[in-house]
Amino acid sequence: MKCILRILLLTCTLCFIEAVSFNHDFSLFTDKCILDGSKESKNEVSVTVSGRICLPWNSFQNRNHSFSNCYHNYCRNPDKRIQPWCIVRRRNRYVREYCDITDREIKPSNPPKSDPSKQDRESSCGERHLNRITKIIGGSRSMVESQPWIAAIFKGDGLICGGTLIAPCWVLTAAHCFPGGKKTQIKRYSVFLGKNAINETDSIKEQQFNVSKLVVHEGFDYTTENFNNDIALLKIVDSNGKCAVKTNSVRTACIPPFQQMLPTGFYCEIAGYGRHQKGGFEYSRYLKQAQVRLVSQNDCQNKYYSKDEVNKNVLCAAGRDWEEDACQGDSGGPLVCEVNNTMFLFGIISWGKECSKKFNPGVYTKVTNYNNWISMHTGLPKYTVGSRYPQKD
Ligand SMILES: *[C@@H]1O[C@H](CO)[C@@H](O)[C@H](O)[C@H]1NC(C)=O
Ligand SMILES: *[C@@H]1O[C@H](CO)[C@@H](O)[C@H](O)[C@H]1NC(C)=O
Ligand SMILES: *[C@@H]1O[C@H](CO)[C@@H](O)[C@H](O)[C@H]1NC(C)=O
Ligand SMILES: *[C@@H]1O[C@H](CO)[C@@H](O)[C@H](O)[C@H]1NC(C)=O
């Protein structure tokens, strides 16, 4: 008994145990976002001592409280605790945790410059700097490092879709993002990598590109309901004629081998900026990620949808208790799954019926049916064979 208590005490010093409750005296918060960090230091921290990423302050389940206007996820200390804190999701609960600010003072104010000649290679895809076990060095880190392959595709000033960086010059996305098909005027499009929030610019983390080529799958038909072959490629180029440079916020995801499958129930991650979100995240412009589980093809075709809707070129995945699905992402964005510590792009967010509705899993383009197509159009066979995927004995 004593022992258990001691462990509990230790845990207590690391994080608050209580789930966030709304009976707290939040009277010191007005309905303005007084937590907003405009006057705080540039080196914002949004990671807790346990390595979890802070949720934006407005993302409680109960929205009738004074954080509802706070859209950022930086650590704050509004109620004078021993150090800044934020809210994270642990299992199924929202809890507070103290933030990892120990290195904040000693870390250099300018992050190390990336070597411009450095590019991700097929042998280094799918890696992310974020590691939940090791201690975070440098403190300031936010969500994009956990999905560094995510691309934000803009038409003019508006975000239209997400995408995934699969090679330094290539972003994979959904065909339905380009209703004009081959006639699409690529001049109007731009692609951002390393972006934490849609309406914010972080010139150190972000990389901006124009689109030099768009390939929409020949077999995609915008008029059919099933969105068959919902896949497209964008070739990106920056103002110096260069492609993506490898940094902690910009990395490539690996393509798994042709026809590679994962078992039903396998946990994967989806991400996006929430363009099409309903409900709580509607106004949030921050990068979000959610965990989803793969649903069996048979169930998806027969229980949830029909064979006409769900064919062999898609896979289905659903959030836990149907709470989170592609609604939290953008069309075209990644569904990545971790195999041997490496992240592989198995799906492209395609469609779903009514966000997070019970028995309507999200439907994703099955990337492993398109290895040859990607290879043919990018001319990058090495990136498309899945050489990082563990070999079967
Ligand atoms: C929500 O806030 C309003 C006004 O601020 C208050 O009148 C109402 O009782 C609150 N509802 C709940 C469930 O707390
Ligand atoms: C980003 O959008 C949010 C919500 O719409 C807003 O509160 C915030 O001020 C915006 N940030 C910038 C830099 O415009
Ligand atoms: C995109 O193209 C426009 C004109 O075509 C140019 O002015 C701009 O610098 C380019 N941006 C990037 C990031 O390459
Ligand atoms: C797993 O990854 C490590 C390093 O990335 C590699 O050395 C090892 O061969 C991989 N394991 C398998 C089974 O492929």
Side-chain angles (χ1 to χ4, degrees), residues 36-138:
D36 222 71
S38 36
K39 55 187 186 302
E40 297 276 327
S41 120
K42 279 256 157 55
N43 302 323
E44 294 282 12
V45 175
S46 49
V47 176
T48 66
V49 285
S50 71
R52 289 184 173 84
I53 307 280
C54 300
L55 294 167
W57 288 90
N58 65 332
S59 53
F60 295 90
Q61 280 155 329
N62 179 339
R63 260 149 241 297
N64 198 12
H65 62 79
S66 21
F67 293 145
S68 55
N69 291 321
C70 281
Y71 295 91
H72 68 77
N73 71 335
Y74 299 129
C75 301
R76 291 289 181 263
N77 194 0
D79 51 354
K80 309 227 164 24
R81 305 241 176 187
I82 58 169
Q83 68 184 59
W85 54 278
C86 72
I87 291 151
V88 296
R89 196 166 172 161
R90 217 171 344 132
R91 294 199 195 93
N92 238 347
R93 300 199 310 167
Y94 292 97
V95 295
R96 302 143 187 252
E97 282 188 5
Y98 284 124
C99 287
D100 184 29
I101 52 161
T102 40
D103 291 333
R104 202 170 169 183
E105 299 310 321
I106 48 172
K107 116 189 127 109
S109 53
N110 290 324
K113 285 214 172 67
S114 61
D115 174 4
S117 66
K118 257 191 167 175
Q119 288 199 324
D120 239 331
R121 304 188 52 80
E122 65 277 5
S123 55
S124 63
C125 62
E127 294 170 359
R128 50 184 169 191
H129 186 65
L130 190 154
N131 184 338
R132 273 156 208 276
I133 297 148
T134 56
K135 187 157 165 30
I136 302 128
I137 303 182

Side-chain angles (χ1 to χ4, degrees), residues 340 388 390-391:
N340 189 24
R388 290 210 75 184
Q391 304 297 309

